[in-house]
Amino acid sequence: MIAQERREAFRAVLSGQKVIRPGSVYDAVSARIAEDLGFEIGILGGSAASLAILGDPDLVLITLTELTEQVRRITRAGKLPVMVDADHGYGNALNVRRTVQELEAAGAAALTIEDTLLPQAYGEAKPQLISIEEGVGKMKAARDGRSDLSLVIFGRTGAASISGIDDTVARAKAYEAAGVDALFFTGIKSRAEVQAIAAVTKLPIMLGTVDGDLDDDVFLASQRVRIANQGHAPIAAATQAVYATLKALREGTRPKDLQGLPSAELTARVMRDGVVKQRIADVLGLKR
């Protein structure tokens, strides 16, 4: 599947009538598993990327080059349309344009550009936002940076938990006017906030969390919420599994006695063993 087909599949989710829960992916193997399990879309979150690439917290320490290469590895591995957390675009509006170009070339189906002030400002413990005007400039640059118009650009804001719902509404309206394809909101806590956002924009909506009263797909769908994130548990689970396995080995457990390992069938499926063997037979003249 070519990148444009993945992007069109992602757009089909946004133009649909139901709420989709994306599969959190962080490398080629996790992306293949998500695809095999039937997830319509995958998401490479900033925290998952930072942990997978550097083993560090989500402090925007990875570079655009590192993120792009990870996206390239993920998209090469299968057909899953992947949404990428591009944070603040790695700089000002000109950097945003370059970020979009690189992630598009790497095969991303969608990406988010946010208006959080990143990296964290000196002496400021709490998150801060850039101005609406600067945010609009970044959204315009993101739109201008793509060469494939099917690439989906999300304008993202965490204003709800920083400056309040009124500012969130103002940013939603401004980013829609700037030409983004969809809006991504974090920090939304109530149905009233969702309704306030949905009332001022016609764009598809993504929410970062859907706890409590918000965990209602019928309500969310009625407010044009098309994607509801469900965190990044897969990489957390993988971390725990690797820790438990290495700990057991260190403490003397023999490999044959380890618990929780994948079956040979699952491993072969994830590696696309049948496809590779057929390729070997076709091009190397060896029997399967």
Side-chain angles (χ1 to χ4, degrees), residues 215-232:
D215 193 9
D216 180 344
D217 284 1
V218 174
F219 167 74
L220 294 177
S222 73
Q223 301 301 308
R224 287 194 326 285
V225 175
R226 297 295 174 253
I227 303 175
N229 198 20
Q230 51 187 354
H232 304 293

mmCIF file with all atom_site columns, all heavy atoms in Angstrom, residues 215-232:
data_model
loop_
_atom_site.group_PDB
_atom_site.id
_atom_site.type_symbol
_atom_site.label_atom_id
_atom_site.label_alt_id
_atom_site.label_comp_id
_atom_site.label_asym_id
_atom_site.label_entity_id
_atom_site.label_seq_id
_atom_site.pdbx_PDB_ins_code
_atom_site.Cartn_x
_atom_site.Cartn_y
_atom_site.Cartn_z
_atom_site.occupancy
_atom_site.B_iso_or_equiv
_atom_site.pdbx_formal_charge
_atom_site.auth_seq_id
_atom_site.auth_comp_id
_atom_site.auth_asym_id
_atom_site.auth_atom_id
_atom_site.pdbx_PDB_model_num
ATOM 1   N N   . ASP A 1 215 ? -16.336 8.956  28.360 1.00 0.00 ? 215 ASP A N   1
ATOM 2   C CA  . ASP A 1 215 ? -16.131 7.616  27.801 1.00 0.00 ? 215 ASP A CA  1
ATOM 3   C C   . ASP A 1 215 ? -17.453 7.055  27.303 1.00 0.00 ? 215 ASP A C   1
ATOM 4   O O   . ASP A 1 215 ? -17.984 6.073  27.816 1.00 0.00 ? 215 ASP A O   1
ATOM 5   C CB  . ASP A 1 215 ? -15.508 6.699  28.852 1.00 0.00 ? 215 ASP A CB  1
ATOM 6   C CG  . ASP A 1 215 ? -14.983 5.399  28.239 1.00 0.00 ? 215 ASP A CG  1
ATOM 7   O OD1 . ASP A 1 215 ? -14.946 5.307  26.999 1.00 0.00 ? 215 ASP A OD1 1
ATOM 8   O OD2 . ASP A 1 215 ? -14.612 4.497  29.015 1.00 0.00 ? 215 ASP A OD2 1
ATOM 9   N N   . ASP A 1 216 ? -17.995 7.703  26.291 1.00 0.00 ? 216 ASP A N   1
ATOM 10  C CA  . ASP A 1 216 ? -19.312 7.372  25.741 1.00 0.00 ? 216 ASP A CA  1
ATOM 11  C C   . ASP A 1 216 ? -19.247 7.625  24.237 1.00 0.00 ? 216 ASP A C   1
ATOM 12  O O   . ASP A 1 216 ? -19.353 8.763  23.782 1.00 0.00 ? 216 ASP A O   1
ATOM 13  C CB  . ASP A 1 216 ? -20.378 8.247  26.401 1.00 0.00 ? 216 ASP A CB  1
ATOM 14  C CG  . ASP A 1 216 ? -21.786 7.973  25.883 1.00 0.00 ? 216 ASP A CG  1
ATOM 15  O OD1 . ASP A 1 216 ? -21.938 7.337  24.811 1.00 0.00 ? 216 ASP A OD1 1
ATOM 16  O OD2 . ASP A 1 216 ? -22.751 8.410  26.529 1.00 0.00 ? 216 ASP A OD2 1
ATOM 17  N N   . ASP A 1 217 ? -19.098 6.557  23.481 1.00 0.00 ? 217 ASP A N   1
ATOM 18  C CA  . ASP A 1 217 ? -18.895 6.701  22.043 1.00 0.00 ? 217 ASP A CA  1
ATOM 19  C C   . ASP A 1 217 ? -20.090 7.316  21.331 1.00 0.00 ? 217 ASP A C   1
ATOM 20  O O   . ASP A 1 217 ? -19.922 8.020  20.326 1.00 0.00 ? 217 ASP A O   1
ATOM 21  C CB  . ASP A 1 217 ? -18.563 5.347  21.421 1.00 0.00 ? 217 ASP A CB  1
ATOM 22  C CG  . ASP A 1 217 ? -17.131 4.926  21.712 1.00 0.00 ? 217 ASP A CG  1
ATOM 23  O OD1 . ASP A 1 217 ? -16.413 5.673  22.413 1.00 0.00 ? 217 ASP A OD1 1
ATOM 24  O OD2 . ASP A 1 217 ? -16.718 3.843  21.241 1.00 0.00 ? 217 ASP A OD2 1
ATOM 25  N N   . VAL A 1 218 ? -21.287 7.069  21.830 1.00 0.00 ? 218 VAL A N   1
ATOM 26  C CA  . VAL A 1 218 ? -22.478 7.646  21.194 1.00 0.00 ? 218 VAL A CA  1
ATOM 27  C C   . VAL A 1 218 ? -22.446 9.166  21.326 1.00 0.00 ? 218 VAL A C   1
ATOM 28  O O   . VAL A 1 218 ? -22.662 9.905  20.351 1.00 0.00 ? 218 VAL A O   1
ATOM 29  C CB  . VAL A 1 218 ? -23.760 7.073  21.816 1.00 0.00 ? 218 VAL A CB  1
ATOM 30  C CG1 . VAL A 1 218 ? -24.984 7.800  21.255 1.00 0.00 ? 218 VAL A CG1 1
ATOM 31  C CG2 . VAL A 1 218 ? -23.867 5.576  21.543 1.00 0.00 ? 218 VAL A CG2 1
ATOM 32  N N   . PHE A 1 219 ? -22.157 9.632  22.529 1.00 0.00 ? 219 PHE A N   1
ATOM 33  C CA  . PHE A 1 219 ? -22.068 11.076 22.735 1.00 0.00 ? 219 PHE A CA  1
ATOM 34  C C   . PHE A 1 219 ? -20.926 11.668 21.924 1.00 0.00 ? 219 PHE A C   1
ATOM 35  O O   . PHE A 1 219 ? -21.090 12.685 21.243 1.00 0.00 ? 219 PHE A O   1
ATOM 36  C CB  . PHE A 1 219 ? -21.856 11.397 24.219 1.00 0.00 ? 219 PHE A CB  1
ATOM 37  C CG  . PHE A 1 219 ? -21.449 12.825 24.461 1.00 0.00 ? 219 PHE A CG  1
ATOM 38  C CD1 . PHE A 1 219 ? -22.373 13.853 24.338 1.00 0.00 ? 219 PHE A CD1 1
ATOM 39  C CD2 . PHE A 1 219 ? -20.125 13.139 24.769 1.00 0.00 ? 219 PHE A CD2 1
ATOM 40  C CE1 . PHE A 1 219 ? -21.987 15.179 24.529 1.00 0.00 ? 219 PHE A CE1 1
ATOM 41  C CE2 . PHE A 1 219 ? -19.736 14.456 24.957 1.00 0.00 ? 219 PHE A CE2 1
ATOM 42  C CZ  . PHE A 1 219 ? -20.669 15.481 24.842 1.00 0.00 ? 219 PHE A CZ  1
ATOM 43  N N   . LEU A 1 220 ? -19.760 11.048 21.987 1.00 0.00 ? 220 LEU A N   1
ATOM 44  C CA  . LEU A 1 220 ? -18.608 11.586 21.274 1.00 0.00 ? 220 LEU A CA  1
ATOM 45  C C   . LEU A 1 220 ? -18.867 11.668 19.775 1.00 0.00 ? 220 LEU A C   1
ATOM 46  O O   . LEU A 1 220 ? -18.545 12.673 19.131 1.00 0.00 ? 220 LEU A O   1
ATOM 47  C CB  . LEU A 1 220 ? -17.378 10.717 21.552 1.00 0.00 ? 220 LEU A CB  1
ATOM 48  C CG  . LEU A 1 220 ? -16.857 10.718 22.994 1.00 0.00 ? 220 LEU A CG  1
ATOM 49  C CD1 . LEU A 1 220 ? -15.695 9.752  23.131 1.00 0.00 ? 220 LEU A CD1 1
ATOM 50  C CD2 . LEU A 1 220 ? -16.448 12.117 23.438 1.00 0.00 ? 220 LEU A CD2 1
ATOM 51  N N   . ALA A 1 221 ? -19.446 10.613 19.222 1.00 0.00 ? 221 ALA A N   1
ATOM 52  C CA  . ALA A 1 221 ? -19.736 10.607 17.785 1.00 0.00 ? 221 ALA A CA  1
ATOM 53  C C   . ALA A 1 221 ? -20.695 11.728 17.411 1.00 0.00 ? 221 ALA A C   1
ATOM 54  O O   . ALA A 1 221 ? -20.569 12.342 16.341 1.00 0.00 ? 221 ALA A O   1
ATOM 55  C CB  . ALA A 1 221 ? -20.305 9.259  17.373 1.00 0.00 ? 221 ALA A CB  1
ATOM 56  N N   . SER A 1 222 ? -21.642 12.027 18.285 1.00 0.00 ? 222 SER A N   1
ATOM 57  C CA  . SER A 1 222 ? -22.616 13.093 18.008 1.00 0.00 ? 222 SER A CA  1
ATOM 58  C C   . SER A 1 222 ? -21.962 14.473 18.001 1.00 0.00 ? 222 SER A C   1
ATOM 59  O O   . SER A 1 222 ? -22.528 15.428 17.462 1.00 0.00 ? 222 SER A O   1
ATOM 60  C CB  . SER A 1 222 ? -23.735 13.067 19.058 1.00 0.00 ? 222 SER A CB  1
ATOM 61  O OG  . SER A 1 222 ? -23.287 13.552 20.315 1.00 0.00 ? 222 SER A OG  1
ATOM 62  N N   . GLN A 1 223 ? -20.766 14.580 18.582 1.00 0.00 ? 223 GLN A N   1
ATOM 63  C CA  . GLN A 1 223 ? -20.038 15.844 18.628 1.00 0.00 ? 223 GLN A CA  1
ATOM 64  C C   . GLN A 1 223 ? -18.874 15.887 17.626 1.00 0.00 ? 223 GLN A C   1
ATOM 65  O O   . GLN A 1 223 ? -17.973 16.697 17.753 1.00 0.00 ? 223 GLN A O   1
ATOM 66  C CB  . GLN A 1 223 ? -19.514 16.082 20.043 1.00 0.00 ? 223 GLN A CB  1
ATOM 67  C CG  . GLN A 1 223 ? -20.595 16.123 21.108 1.00 0.00 ? 223 GLN A CG  1
ATOM 68  C CD  . GLN A 1 223 ? -21.615 17.220 20.850 1.00 0.00 ? 223 GLN A CD  1
ATOM 69  O OE1 . GLN A 1 223 ? -21.249 18.378 20.650 1.00 0.00 ? 223 GLN A OE1 1
ATOM 70  N NE2 . GLN A 1 223 ? -22.896 16.859 20.832 1.00 0.00 ? 223 GLN A NE2 1
ATOM 71  N N   . ARG A 1 224 ? -18.905 14.980 16.645 1.00 0.00 ? 224 ARG A N   1
ATOM 72  C CA  . ARG A 1 224 ? -17.891 14.888 15.608 1.00 0.00 ? 224 ARG A CA  1
ATOM 73  C C   . ARG A 1 224 ? -16.522 14.448 16.130 1.00 0.00 ? 224 ARG A C   1
ATOM 74  O O   . ARG A 1 224 ? -15.494 14.702 15.487 1.00 0.00 ? 224 ARG A O   1
ATOM 75  C CB  . ARG A 1 224 ? -17.742 16.198 14.811 1.00 0.00 ? 224 ARG A CB  1
ATOM 76  C CG  . ARG A 1 224 ? -18.868 16.502 13.855 1.00 0.00 ? 224 ARG A CG  1
ATOM 77  C CD  . ARG A 1 224 ? -18.504 17.601 12.878 1.00 0.00 ? 224 ARG A CD  1
ATOM 78  N NE  . ARG A 1 224 ? -17.642 18.613 13.425 1.00 0.00 ? 224 ARG A NE  1
ATOM 79  C CZ  . ARG A 1 224 ? -18.038 19.577 14.273 1.00 0.00 ? 224 ARG A CZ  1
ATOM 80  N NH1 . ARG A 1 224 ? -19.308 19.649 14.638 1.00 0.00 ? 224 ARG A NH1 1
ATOM 81  N NH2 . ARG A 1 224 ? -17.178 20.460 14.722 1.00 0.00 ? 224 ARG A NH2 1
ATOM 82  N N   . VAL A 1 225 ? -16.481 13.825 17.278 1.00 0.00 ? 225 VAL A N   1
ATOM 83  C CA  . VAL A 1 225 ? -15.233 13.226 17.731 1.00 0.00 ? 225 VAL A CA  1
ATOM 84  C C   . VAL A 1 225 ? -15.046 11.940 16.938 1.00 0.00 ? 225 VAL A C   1
ATOM 85  O O   . VAL A 1 225 ? -15.885 11.042 16.987 1.00 0.00 ? 225 VAL A O   1
ATOM 86  C CB  . VAL A 1 225 ? -15.255 12.927 19.245 1.00 0.00 ? 225 VAL A CB  1
ATOM 87  C CG1 . VAL A 1 225 ? -13.976 12.193 19.657 1.00 0.00 ? 225 VAL A CG1 1
ATOM 88  C CG2 . VAL A 1 225 ? -15.419 14.210 20.034 1.00 0.00 ? 225 VAL A CG2 1
ATOM 89  N N   . ARG A 1 226 ? -13.975 11.853 16.203 1.00 0.00 ? 226 ARG A N   1
ATOM 90  C CA  . ARG A 1 226 ? -13.729 10.695 15.345 1.00 0.00 ? 226 ARG A CA  1
ATOM 91  C C   . ARG A 1 226 ? -12.588 9.818  15.852 1.00 0.00 ? 226 ARG A C   1
ATOM 92  O O   . ARG A 1 226 ? -12.503 8.650  15.477 1.00 0.00 ? 226 ARG A O   1
ATOM 93  C CB  . ARG A 1 226 ? -13.428 11.163 13.915 1.00 0.00 ? 226 ARG A CB  1
ATOM 94  C CG  . ARG A 1 226 ? -14.605 11.890 13.270 1.00 0.00 ? 226 ARG A CG  1
ATOM 95  C CD  . ARG A 1 226 ? -15.800 10.958 13.073 1.00 0.00 ? 226 ARG A CD  1
ATOM 96  N NE  . ARG A 1 226 ? -16.980 11.661 12.594 1.00 0.00 ? 226 ARG A NE  1
ATOM 97  C CZ  . ARG A 1 226 ? -18.051 11.918 13.319 1.00 0.00 ? 226 ARG A CZ  1
ATOM 98  N NH1 . ARG A 1 226 ? -18.072 11.526 14.585 1.00 0.00 ? 226 ARG A NH1 1
ATOM 99  N NH2 . ARG A 1 226 ? -19.092 12.542 12.826 1.00 0.00 ? 226 ARG A NH2 1
ATOM 100 N N   . ILE A 1 227 ? -11.724 10.387 16.695 1.00 0.00 ? 227 ILE A N   1
ATOM 101 C CA  . ILE A 1 227 ? -10.626 9.614  17.270 1.00 0.00 ? 227 ILE A CA  1
ATOM 102 C C   . ILE A 1 227 ? -10.544 9.914  18.760 1.00 0.00 ? 227 ILE A C   1
ATOM 103 O O   . ILE A 1 227 ? -10.525 11.083 19.161 1.00 0.00 ? 227 ILE A O   1
ATOM 104 C CB  . ILE A 1 227 ? -9.282  9.944  16.598 1.00 0.00 ? 227 ILE A CB  1
ATOM 105 C CG1 . ILE A 1 227 ? -9.357  9.704  15.089 1.00 0.00 ? 227 ILE A CG1 1
ATOM 106 C CG2 . ILE A 1 227 ? -8.154  9.108  17.212 1.00 0.00 ? 227 ILE A CG2 1
ATOM 107 C CD1 . ILE A 1 227 ? -8.109  10.112 14.338 1.00 0.00 ? 227 ILE A CD1 1
ATOM 108 N N   . ALA A 1 228 ? -10.505 8.872  19.564 1.00 0.00 ? 228 ALA A N   1
ATOM 109 C CA  . ALA A 1 228 ? -10.347 9.009  21.011 1.00 0.00 ? 228 ALA A CA  1
ATOM 110 C C   . ALA A 1 228 ? -9.109  8.227  21.415 1.00 0.00 ? 228 ALA A C   1
ATOM 111 O O   . ALA A 1 228 ? -9.091  6.997  21.324 1.00 0.00 ? 228 ALA A O   1
ATOM 112 C CB  . ALA A 1 228 ? -11.588 8.494  21.746 1.00 0.00 ? 228 ALA A CB  1
ATOM 113 N N   . ASN A 1 229 ? -8.097  8.936  21.820 1.00 0.00 ? 229 ASN A N   1
ATOM 114 C CA  . ASN A 1 229 ? -6.846  8.278  22.176 1.00 0.00 ? 229 ASN A CA  1
ATOM 115 C C   . ASN A 1 229 ? -7.028  7.436  23.431 1.00 0.00 ? 229 ASN A C   1
ATOM 116 O O   . ASN A 1 229 ? -7.849  7.755  24.296 1.00 0.00 ? 229 ASN A O   1
ATOM 117 C CB  . ASN A 1 229 ? -5.744  9.321  22.399 1.00 0.00 ? 229 ASN A CB  1
ATOM 118 C CG  . ASN A 1 229 ? -4.355  8.720  22.331 1.00 0.00 ? 229 ASN A CG  1
ATOM 119 O OD1 . ASN A 1 229 ? -4.164  7.641  21.778 1.00 0.00 ? 229 ASN A OD1 1
ATOM 120 N ND2 . ASN A 1 229 ? -3.387  9.419  22.874 1.00 0.00 ? 229 ASN A ND2 1
ATOM 121 N N   . GLN A 1 230 ? -6.277  6.360  23.541 1.00 0.00 ? 230 GLN A N   1
ATOM 122 C CA  . GLN A 1 230 ? -6.379  5.501  24.707 1.00 0.00 ? 230 GLN A CA  1
ATOM 123 C C   . GLN A 1 230 ? -5.009  5.226  25.322 1.00 0.00 ? 230 GLN A C   1
ATOM 124 O O   . GLN A 1 230 ? -4.747  4.163  25.863 1.00 0.00 ? 230 GLN A O   1
ATOM 125 C CB  . GLN A 1 230 ? -7.091  4.192  24.356 1.00 0.00 ? 230 GLN A CB  1
ATOM 126 C CG  . GLN A 1 230 ? -6.561  3.458  23.146 1.00 0.00 ? 230 GLN A CG  1
ATOM 127 C CD  . GLN A 1 230 ? -7.424  2.265  22.779 1.00 0.00 ? 230 GLN A CD  1
ATOM 128 O OE1 . GLN A 1 230 ? -8.365  1.905  23.479 1.00 0.00 ? 230 GLN A OE1 1
ATOM 129 N NE2 . GLN A 1 230 ? -7.096  1.624  21.681 1.00 0.00 ? 230 GLN A NE2 1
ATOM 130 N N   . GLY A 1 231 ? -4.139  6.245  25.235 1.00 0.00 ? 231 GLY A N   1
ATOM 131 C CA  . GLY A 1 231 ? -2.848  6.145  25.889 1.00 0.00 ? 231 GLY A CA  1
ATOM 132 C C   . GLY A 1 231 ? -1.859  5.269  25.148 1.00 0.00 ? 231 GLY A C   1
ATOM 133 O O   . GLY A 1 231 ? -2.088  4.857  24.009 1.00 0.00 ? 231 GLY A O   1
ATOM 134 N N   . HIS A 1 232 ? -0.765  4.994  25.822 1.00 0.00 ? 232 HIS A N   1
ATOM 135 C CA  . HIS A 1 232 ? 0.329   4.258  25.193 1.00 0.00 ? 232 HIS A CA  1
ATOM 136 C C   . HIS A 1 232 ? 0.732   3.053  26.042 1.00 0.00 ? 232 HIS A C   1
ATOM 137 O O   . HIS A 1 232 ? 1.910   2.857  26.366 1.00 0.00 ? 232 HIS A O   1
ATOM 138 C CB  . HIS A 1 232 ? 1.505   5.204  24.947 1.00 0.00 ? 232 HIS A CB  1
ATOM 139 C CG  . HIS A 1 232 ? 1.129   6.399  24.124 1.00 0.00 ? 232 HIS A CG  1
ATOM 140 N ND1 . HIS A 1 232 ? 0.756   6.284  22.800 1.00 0.00 ? 232 HIS A ND1 1
ATOM 141 C CD2 . HIS A 1 232 ? 1.017   7.704  24.437 1.00 0.00 ? 232 HIS A CD2 1
ATOM 142 C CE1 . HIS A 1 232 ? 0.449   7.480  22.324 1.00 0.00 ? 232 HIS A CE1 1
ATOM 143 N NE2 . HIS A 1 232 ? 0.597   8.356  23.296 1.00 0.00 ? 232 HIS A NE2 1
#
